[in-house]
């Protein structure tokens, strides 16, 4: 059997991301979970090693989290939806990965946010989900490419109608780092657009 491999010595790879309004992103993940969808197959890694379940425990004991309420979703201490954008952009080795020992929560949060901001600064391109037209323009100018059609308009109004004011206020605790990152990203995004 002959297998073709594409081996690229001189390829350049670009990392990029789209940031989304943290509250709407959190609600979207809750909606995904309550419909019975889950990340059970997803494995957590940090520093090249698989994360121990002692450090991160699953939020549910059944096969899915079907019909989970928002309060139940927020009550899980190891909910991966909490500050997901910051965690996924940060270098978690700077805050000892997912281990609970070693750093106080406030210090861990600071290190993750600082790392996420530094990493965002190094990306040649990132977009803002709520700014589709500007994101498309930024991408096209950055990479010298043209989209065949415009990006679709994004509507979060459905998620806004699902929660009470108390739930909204409570949810702010679970996206605090993401809010800081999102506000910084919006400023940096605007600055880069102006430079174009």
């Amino acid at each position: 059997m002959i297998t073709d491999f594409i081996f690229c010595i001189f390829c350049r790879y670009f990392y990029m991301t789209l940031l989304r309004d943290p509250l709407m992103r959190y609600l979207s993940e809750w909606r995904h979970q309550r419909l019975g969808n889950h990340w059970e197959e997803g494995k957590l890694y940090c520093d090249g090693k698989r994360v121990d379940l002692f450090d991160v425990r699953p939020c549910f004991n059944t096969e899915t989290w079907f019909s989970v309420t928002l309060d139940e979703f927020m009550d899980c201490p190891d909910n991966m939806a909490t500050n997901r954008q910051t965690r996924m952009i940060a270098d978690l080795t700077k805050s000892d990965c997912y281990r609970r020992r070693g750093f106080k929560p406030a210090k861990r949060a600071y290190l993750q946010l600082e790392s996420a901001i530094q990493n965002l600064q190094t990306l040649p391109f990132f977009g803002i989900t709520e700014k589709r037209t500007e994101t498309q323009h930024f991408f096209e100018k950055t990479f010298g490419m043209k989209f065949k059609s415009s990006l679709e308009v994004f509507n979060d109004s459905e998620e806004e109608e699902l929660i009470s004011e108390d739930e909204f206020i409570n949810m702010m605790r679970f996206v605090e780092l993401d809010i800081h990152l999102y506000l910084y990203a919006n400023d940096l995004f605007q600055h880069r657009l102006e430079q174009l």
Side-chain angles (χ1 to χ4, degrees):
M1 181 174 121
I2 298 174
T3 306
D4 292 328
F5 289 98
I6 298 174
F7 191 77
C8 186
I9 298 171
F10 301 106
C11 290
R12 292 178 62 199
Y13 296 96
F14 297 97
Y15 290 94
M16 59 184 76
T17 190
L18 289 176
L19 287 130
R20 184 176 179 191
D21 176 284
L23 293 163
M24 296 302 106
R25 198 219 56 77
Y26 189 88
L27 285 172
S28 178
E29 188 160 345
W30 163 59
R31 291 177 73 218
H32 180 80
Q33 293 279 347
R34 77 182 186 146
L35 291 173
N37 303 311
H38 54 84
W39 313 116
E40 189 178 79
E41 300 302 318
K43 309 290 186 240
L44 292 175
Y45 288 87
C46 187
D47 199 20
K49 298 173 191 130
R50 189 145 171 218
V51 174
D52 189 338
L53 284 179
F54 175 76
D55 296 311
V56 179
R57 294 186 178 100
C59 289
F60 55 92
N61 295 325
T62 60
E63 285 186 28
T64 69
W65 216 358
F66 185 74
S67 295
V68 64
T69 67
L70 183 55
D71 287 332
E72 290 169 334
F73 188 74
M74 290 188 285
D75 281 345
C76 175
D78 287 328
N79 191 334
M80 291 289 103
T82 301
N83 291 310
R84 183 182 289 280
Q85 293 180 116
T86 300
R87 195 178 65 256
M88 293 188 80
I89 295 173
D91 176 356
L92 296 181
T93 61
K94 293 181 178 182
S95 59
D96 204 18
C97 295
Y98 291 91
R99 292 176 198 93
R100 298 178 199 280
R101 47 208 178 270
F103 290 104
K104 291 183 178 176
K107 177 69 172 173
R108 179 184 308 282
Y110 172 80
L111 290 170
Q112 286 182 4
L113 181 59
E114 183 182 63
S115 175
I117 286 172
Q118 288 171 355
N119 286 339
L120 192 65
Q121 292 168 343
T122 66
L123 296 178
F125 167 82
F126 67 90
I128 306 292
T129 302
E130 292 75 22
K131 297 181 178 181
R132 294 287 174 110
T133 303
E134 296 92 336
T135 293
Q136 179 174 341
H137 176 70
F138 186 15
F139 183 92
E140 291 173 341
K141 290 291 185 184
T142 300
F143 297 111
M145 302 169 83
K146 202 79 170 137
F147 281 53
K148 288 184 179 179
S149 61
S150 296
L151 292 173
E152 294 178 17
V153 175
F154 195 69
N155 184 359
D156 276 327
S157 59
E158 201 177 331
E159 278 123 345
E160 289 174 9
E161 297 168 10
L162 295 172
I163 63 170
S164 69
E165 186 176 340
D166 288 342
E167 289 171 325
F168 182 84
I169 292 167
N170 188 25
M171 189 173 48
M172 297 284 283
R173 297 181 305 131
F174 302 102
V175 294
E176 183 179 358
L177 298 181
D178 281 359
I179 289 171
H180 288 292
L181 179 65
Y182 185 75
L183 292 172
Y184 175 82
N186 269 280
D187 288 344
L188 182 59
F189 183 81
Q190 191 59 42
H191 176 70
R192 288 187 179 181
L193 275 180
E194 290 166 6
Q195 286 184 322
L196 290 176

